[in-house]
Structure formats: structure tokens, C-alpha cells
Amino acid sequence: MRAVTWQGPNKVTVENVPDPTLLNQHDAIIKVRLTSICGSDLHLYDGFVPSMLPGDIIGHEFMGEVVAIGKSVRKLKIGDRVVVSSIIGCGKCWFCEQALWSLCDNSNPNNGLEAMYGYTTSGIFGYSHLFGGYAGSHAEYIRVPFADQVAFVVPENLSDEQTLFVSDAFPTGYQAALFCDIHPGDTVAVWGAGAVGLFAMRSAYMLGAEKVIAIDRFPERLEHARVNGHAVATLDYTETDVIDALKELTGGRGPDSCIDAVGMEAHAGGLPGMYDKVKQSMRVETDRPHVLRQAIQACRKGGTFSIIGVYAGLVDKLNMGAAFNKGLTFRMGQMHGPSLIPDLLGRVERGEIDPSFAITHRMSLEQASEGYETFKHKNEQCLRVVFQP
Amino acid sequence: MINEFNGTSSNSSPVNVGPDERTISLVAGVVLILLGLAKRNLWSLPAIALGTKMLYRGATGHSPIYSLLKLNTAVSTHPEAVSVPHQQGVHVVKAITIQRSIEDLYQYWRNLENLPHIMGHLESVKVIDVQRSHWVAKAPAGLSVEWDAEIVNDIPNEVIAWRSVENAQIANAGSVRFKPAPNNRGVEVKVTLEYVPPAGNIGVAIAKLFGEEPAQQTADGLRRFKQVMEVGEVTTIEGQSSGRK
Ligand SMILES: NC(=O)c1ccc[n+]([C@@H]2O[C@H](COP(=O)([O-])OP(=O)(O)OC[C@H]3O[C@@H](n4cnc5c(N)ncnc54)[C@H](O)[C@@H]3O)[C@@H](O)[C@H]2O)c1
Ligand SMILES: [Zn+2]
Ligand SMILES: [Zn+2]
């Protein structure tokens, strides 16, 4: 089959590779119908996630059709159209039982994270060997372990495009909003108007937020925030003092919750930007924490900071004193897909949201390299590139 | 503070930064110092400090943060693998919590012939009688190490302990204990292993082959035990497709 492989920073190629086979009894093989490039893939593409090997098949946001099942698969049948959680959980360990699927004890065959984080977390499709080394979805076929737990049959009346983002970006944004523990009257500020941030905005309203404020720098993304995220105000952080503006927009109180939907490659100008960029490129600091710094400062006293943008390692110069003395609550982590997806499919089916708004570019797998470049630089007003293998 | 490396570490600073990065470090260090000197605000001091560190890093090839994260770009291997220093014998204790009845866990382990399925370094275990068994462990280059072992303690659902019989090529002993975790959080399984390699060069060689990473091996074995008991199979990516030839 054809598959997109990581070859090194800023280099992906499309290769002929063997078709995947069932390796375990709980596996299924899925014929990929749609798969997208996610902001998380950029961290791989840019070379900031360790333990990638040249030749690794990448991609983790996908939906498709079941073409083979292992002998212990009970729920799925050949021919089912399914959307698959990007993070993999076994469904049996204590963490999965607590709905903390991305902390699954059993789905990551590699124990390397123990040295970096103290404990190993779940496997993720196409997301480096530390996260399990699973072959990803930018391919014609993909092997899905624990298939009954992570693949969900798509209602017949929903299109492929409507359900693709229920694999990753929508549950991620939804979990960011859940973390906020939203109360009536709450204002939620969201950094990053990529697909994840936009779904976080809509989810915040679903969970009862009064108003959402979006922060980004690309005009077309801020426009998406107004139109598709229903943000009542948008801030261009390159032109506005974000902390002042947020105060002003909230009667001086500050946002009740702040969501970081940007992560470790946050962009910033000036000397702080240069400082972190050099540190990160030299691996003295692994992550660039501009959004962390700004949100800690901006959040109202006693508020919640929800971090869903991905961080991988060490950050520098965080104002812990501000976080501590303001009594902030921090919530963070990879999303717990399987516990969210059934509810989110229901919301799409009931017409509460049509996630397909996030698709701006459709390409074939052969155009992977062009797709990655376009998405990385946000050229042509790109919000999400979708491959149809 | 982790990042405030002040260049005074005289203890151990092995080279863990590759040559390209060292050159870039030097250049970036100079640029940052100049920028820091040019601007005068909250960021100039940290920028100068960082610039100084980059110079240090470029000059010495050592990144303290890499050591902290156990990453090394100077040799192209995986980020794990810090060998246990070879001393007189090896002592390993590892624990894991498993969601399965204590009876099932005990039963699986009591049939010693199951162990090669979860312990990667074991080739086979043959039960000879209630007490005795014959063990074969894998070693690199197609070699193997064999010994006979006997069970010395067996309390159902609590503990199994074994040790090699006299004159084994490599003297070793082990035990596994099972204990309910609080509030139905599963069963705590604790494994203790000890190897005492024979004296002399051959002993050293065998010990090396036998257990280069005994702690890691045991931890991995317990993870596989948990996988088998909780989900019924060993989690794997072995045999999957990739673009590597
Ligand atoms: N936790 C999870 O399970 C999970 C799952 C999927 C994605 N993610 C993460 O979510 C983040 C966003 O993903 P995406 O697909 O929307 O990516 P994206 O690249 O499309 O969007 C990121 C947005 O952040 C904006 N941005 C950059 N610096 C900023 C700053 N300083 N202030 C405000 N905005 C800034 C960019 O302009 C861009 O619009 C990524 O870090 C990704 O890794 C996490
Ligand atoms: Zn993603
Ligand atoms: Zn699990």
C-alpha cells in the first residue's frame, strides 16, 4: 500500500510499504477513508518529538471501514464504517476504567516514557516510539489494536467529513472545555484558533459558557473563531496586549478559564520569542511556553487553566508565584477519546455542530509533502488538510 | 533551578551534543548575548545568561538538560539504556499493580512454564516435578545459559520463591509476592531477583550476557504479565509495516 513516512525534520515521503496485518486477537484492519494533518503532527514534522525513526508511518486522526478483525473482536464487523480515537486504550486497566484512556497502562508496548515522565502513558497512532511506535493513518490501511475499545461505528446519516474530527480534534477541544468546569456566566479565553481551539470554543458553549474570547494572529483563523467558534471577541496577540484586552473584556475580572490550544511550539515576537526559539532549537529547553506564561497572568483569581496543546518536556521561566498566589487550578493532558466519542457522535447527529467546517484542503496521499508544508506555514488560509487515500 | 547551569560542574560532563549542534550553539550563543546587550528589558538578563550557556555547550559538547532527560545526540541510539554498573551480583526489586483476581495471578505464575511468555530473556522453563524445574535463558549471539531451580517457598495466593540448585552456571534466586491493593485497586505483584555470577572472567561475561539490564528486563516482564492478565495478550507492534527496508 501507499503510506506517508517521516524521514527527518521537515521531510515526509510517500512510500510503498507492506499492507498491515492482524498482529493480535483484538486488532482490526481499517481501510482509511479520510485522515488529516493535526497540529500534533507538526511537532513531529518540526522534529520536536524524540524517538521518531526514519520510515515511521505518521498520522492519527482518521476514519474508515473495517476490512478485517481479529478473533477476539466482538463489537465490530467487517464493513462497519468507523471513526477511531487517536489515543489507544485497552479498556481493561484501572486508568481506562476511570475514563482516563490516555493514561492506559497496557496500550503502549514501549516503556521508554518511564525514564522521562516517571510512568509510561498510553499508545498513540503514528506518534513516535516513546508513544508506542504504532504505524499511523496517513496510509491506505491501518492496524487498530484494541479495536472494540477505540473504534466507533458512525451513524449512517453522517458523512465521512462530518465524523473525521471526532477522532481527535473535537474530543480534544471538548476535553479542554470539560477541564474548565464551566459555570453559568463564565468567560472562557482560548489561545489558538486551529481546529482544536475552534472545537474547544464550541464545546465551551455546549457546556454552558456565557462567552468565548479567541486569541491567534491569522486573520482567517480569527474569522473562523467568530463564525465557527462563535467567539464574541477575537484578539490578535501580535497587535494587542492580550492581558490588558482580556481584563477590559471581562470588567476587570479576567477570564474564568483559559484554554491553551497552542502547545509547545507557540509563536512569540521580540526577545522572549527569540530566547525560547534558540533554547528549543538547541534542546536546552524542549518547549516554548509563551501561552503558558500569558494565560497564567491573564486568568482571573481562582480560575482554571486548561492545557490541551501538547507539551513534551522542560519549560523555562513560568511564573509559578502568580499561579500559586492566585489559586489557579491547572488541568491538562492528552484527550481520553473513547470516553468522549459516543457523546460527541450524538451531538453531531443531533446537529449541534457540523465539524466538517474545519476542512479547508483536500488532497491525495501523494501530495503529503505539499500538504505538510501548506499546513505548517498556514498558507492559503489552511486550517486542516484532509487526505483521501 | 534546572536551567540555570552555571558552568561550574566539574564532576561528570560527557559529550552528549552532536558536532553540528555544537557549532550552532556557539553561533546562537553569540547572537543571544549581543541581542541581550542591545535590548534593555526584563528579557535581556535571561538572554545573556542563555547565550553564555550556549557558548559553554558549544565549547564543551555537554548539555545538562539532555542528561536530565536522558537524551543524547552524540551517539545515535535510543534514549534509554544506562547500564547497571557491574558489581558483585545483581539485586532487582520491581512491583506492578494488576486488575485480576489474586488466584488467577498466582496460578499463572505457579506454572513456571508460563514465564518465558512474559519474561523476554527466558527461552524456556520445563517443570521436572512439583519442586524442580529446568531454566534456559537467552544470551546474545545465539548463546544460552541453563540451570536447574527448585521452589523453596510456596504459599498459594501469597508467595512463590525459587532458587537455582547447587553448581548452577549462574547462581540465582527469585520470588514473587501477591497482595491485594487498597480498596479494590487490583493486586500488587512484587518480584525480587538476585543473580550471583561465578568468579573470574567467564563469570563476568556470563553475567553480562545474562542480564545487561536486569531491572529493565524485569520491569518489562511485569508489564507483559499485566498485559496478559488484564487484556489477554502481549501488546506489540512487532511485524507491523513501516517505510524501513
Ligand atoms: N491533548 C491532545 O490530546 C491533543 C490532541 C490534538 C491536538 N493537540 C494539540 O493542540 C494544539 C493545537 O492543535 P491544532 O491542530 O489546532 O494546531 P494548529 O497548528 O492548526 O493551530 C495552532 C494555532 O495556534 C496559534 N498560535 C501560535 N502561537 C500562538 C500564541 N502565542 N498565542 C495564540 N495563538 C497562537 C497558531 O497561529 C495556530 O492558529 C497542538 O499543540 C496539538 O498538538 C492536543
Ligand atoms: Zn492530533
Ligand atoms: Zn487501559
Side-chain angles (χ1 to χ4, degrees):
Chain A
M1 65 169 183
R2 301 291 281 165
V4 180
T5 64
W6 185 92
Q7 297 295 341
N10 297 308
K11 183 150 188 236
V12 296
T13 60
V14 188
E15 307 283 341
N16 286 319
V17 306
D19 285 354
T21 53
L22 297 167
L23 300 178
N24 263 339
Q25 314 162 25
H26 297 99
D27 291 355
I29 305 294
I30 309 285
K31 181 177 195 310
V32 179
R33 291 167 69 105
L34 291 179
T35 179
S36 71
I37 311 178
C38 168
S40 297
D41 294 320
L42 291 181
H43 309 319
L44 309 176
Y45 189 66
D46 295 338
F48 291 127
V49 178
S51 81
M52 287 296 293
L53 295 176
D56 285 343
I57 301 171
I58 52 180
H60 59 266
E61 187 165 59
F62 67 105
M63 56 84 55
E65 184 190 324
V66 178
V67 293
I69 51 173
K71 64 174 194 287
S72 298
V73 172
R74 295 283 169 273
K75 282 190 340 219
L76 296 179
K77 300 181 308 292
I78 289 173
D80 281 348
R81 194 166 58 112
V82 292
V83 59
V84 181
S85 166
S86 58
I87 73 104
I88 306 165
C90 75
K92 299 282 166 47
C93 72
W94 185 82
F95 292 96
C96 288
E97 279 178 1
Q98 309 296 308
L100 300 169
W101 291 75
S102 66
L103 310 181
C104 175
D105 262 341
N106 293 318
S107 62
N108 188 342
N110 183 329
N111 197 24
L113 282 177
E114 191 178 348
M116 277 171 83
Y117 299 157
Y119 300 91
T120 290
T121 57
S122 81
I124 304 178
F125 288 106
Y127 211 68
S128 87
H129 289 266
L130 284 171
F131 288 93
Y134 288 100
S137 61
H138 293 167
E140 291 176 74
Y141 297 91
I142 181 170
R143 166 197 169 228
V144 172
F146 304 112
D148 275 339
Q149 316 289 338
V150 301
F152 295 84
V153 175
V154 170
E156 252 172 52
N157 52 331
L158 296 183
S159 69
D160 292 356
E161 302 199 338
Q162 284 174 306
T163 49
L164 169 62
F165 300 119
V166 178
S167 160
D168 185 62
F170 187 15
T172 302
Y174 193 83
Q175 181 165 312
L178 275 178
F179 280 164
C180 293
D181 187 21
I182 293 169
H183 287 72
D186 273 6
T187 298
V188 179
V190 181
W191 276 255
V196 170
L198 294 169
F199 287 119
M201 295 173 205
R202 288 294 288 278
S203 303
Y205 285 116
M206 289 172 188
L207 295 169
E210 179 74 23
K211 59 181 184 185
V212 166
I213 303 169
I215 303 142
D216 204 303
R217 77 175 181 285
F218 294 103
E220 69 278 8
R221 285 180 173 231
L222 292 173
E223 176 70 11
H224 271 295
R226 285 186 291 272
V227 174
N228 294 309
H230 300 177
V232 296
T234 57
L235 303 174
D236 177 343
Y237 64 88
T238 60
E239 291 185 344
T240 320
D241 183 319
V242 171
I243 295 162
D244 283 352
L246 285 174
K247 254 189 198 165
E248 211 173 288
L249 286 163
T250 55
R253 299 188 306 278
D256 301 282
S257 324
C258 294
I259 293 176
D260 174 353
V262 177
M264 66 195 224
E265 291 187 69
H267 154 273
L271 196 49
M274 176 75 180
Y275 177 86
D276 288 303
K277 217 167 174 161
V278 168
K279 279 199 121 172
Q280 189 179 46
S281 62
M282 293 295 101
R283 273 66 178 174
V284 191
E285 173 177 55
T286 56
D287 303 353
R288 302 203 296 257
H290 306 304
V291 172
L292 300 181
R293 292 190 191 123
Q294 215 166 46
I296 287 173
Q297 209 69 21
C299 203
R300 80 145 160 83
K301 290 183 284 180
T304 301
F305 185 21
S306 157
I307 308 170
I308 203 76
V310 165
Y311 291 84
L314 305 172
V315 300
D316 189 12
K317 306 244 172 333
L318 277 194
N319 193 341
M320 202 61 200
F324 174 80
N325 287 295
K326 285 162 68 182
L328 298 185
T329 298
F330 278 40
R331 300 290 308 274
M332 63 189 91
Q334 301 278 358
M335 62 94 174
H336 305 303
S339 67
L340 304 169
I341 288 174
D343 174 40
L344 299 187
L345 280 175
R347 288 179 187 270
V348 180
E349 210 181 358
R350 291 193 299 275
E352 289 175 41
I353 185 169
D354 180 353
S356 62
F357 71 77
I359 303 176
T360 52
H361 288 66
R362 292 174 178 77
M363 293 186 185
S364 77
L365 274 188
E366 303 303 320
Q367 292 167 283
S369 184
E370 181 193 339
Y372 269 84
E373 279 300 299
T374 307
F375 181 57
K376 171 173 173 157
H377 300 290
K378 316 301 184 214
N379 294 338
E380 303 162 20
Q381 314 208 333
C382 181
L383 182 62
R384 220 41 168 200
V385 173
V386 172
F387 298 121
Q388 197 163 9
Chain B
M1 199 163 107
I2 285 160
N3 279 331
E4 295 309 330
F5 184 74
N6 50 26
T8 54
S9 159
S10 55
N11 39 349
S12 65
S13 300
V15 172
N16 60 2
V17 177
D20 289 355
E21 273 190 66
R22 289 179 64 174
T23 317
I24 306 170
S25 288
L26 286 170
V27 175
V30 173
V31 170
L32 264 180
I33 291 172
L34 291 178
L35 264 175
L37 288 173
K39 305 256 175 191
R40 290 246 184 86
N41 59 27
L42 194 64
W43 282 93
S44 43
L45 275 182
I48 294 168
L50 171 60
T52 315
K53 271 178 261 173
M54 305 306 327
L55 283 180
Y56 170 83
R57 182 181 194 272
T60 61
H62 176 73
S63 161
I65 302 300
Y66 273 15
S67 314
L68 212 92
L69 278 179
K70 302 195 172 149
L71 294 179
N72 185 340
T73 58
V75 274
S76 55
T77 50
H78 285 283
E80 55 262 22
V82 185
S83 278
V84 176
H86 175 67
Q87 292 157 342
Q88 274 297 348
V90 178
H91 182 82
V92 174
V93 184
K94 286 279 169 193
I96 201 163
T97 299
I98 303 180
Q99 306 273 97
R100 184 83 186 249
S101 77
I102 212 163
E103 292 78 14
D104 289 351
L105 298 178
Y106 166 84
Q107 282 304 334
Y108 186 93
W109 205 287
R110 183 61 184 83
N111 180 3
L112 298 173
E113 296 193 358
N114 281 330
L115 293 188
H117 189 48
I118 54 169
M119 292 294 175
H121 68 291
L122 289 178
E123 206 162 276
S124 68
V125 178
K126 276 265 157 296
V127 171
I128 302 167
D129 58 38
V130 192
Q131 294 288 311
R132 285 191 156 233
S133 47
H134 182 73
W135 300 53
V136 182
K138 287 178 211 154
L143 298 174
S144 58
V145 194
E146 311 193 12
W147 67 91
D148 283 346
E150 60 183 354
I151 290 192
V152 290
N153 192 9
D154 180 10
I155 307 174
N157 308 330
E158 237 174 78
V159 62
I160 308 165
W162 61 93
R163 69 165 177 235
S164 56
V165 299
E166 252 174 275
N167 301 327
Q169 238 176 337
I170 179 159
N172 67 90
S175 70
V176 56
R177 286 171 191 279
F178 306 93
K179 192 177 110 198
N183 211 20
N184 295 323
R185 296 211 180 168
V187 175
E188 294 172 6
V189 179
K190 186 158 100 184
V191 167
T192 308
L193 292 178
E194 257 166 274
Y195 309 146
V196 185
N201 282 341
I202 296 174
V204 174
I206 289 179
K208 233 181 147 182
L209 294 180
F210 190 55
E212 198 124 35
E213 294 288 347
Q216 193 57 47
Q217 247 169 24
T218 310
D220 288 348
L222 280 181
R223 277 167 54 81
R224 279 192 291 267
F225 181 41
K226 181 180 165 84
Q227 290 161 7
V228 169
M229 298 315 290
E230 289 188 346
V231 304
E233 62 193 351
V234 173
T235 309
T236 187
I237 59 164
E238 234 164 88
Q240 74 173 6
S241 8
S242 85
R244 282 181 288 283
K245 308 275 141 57

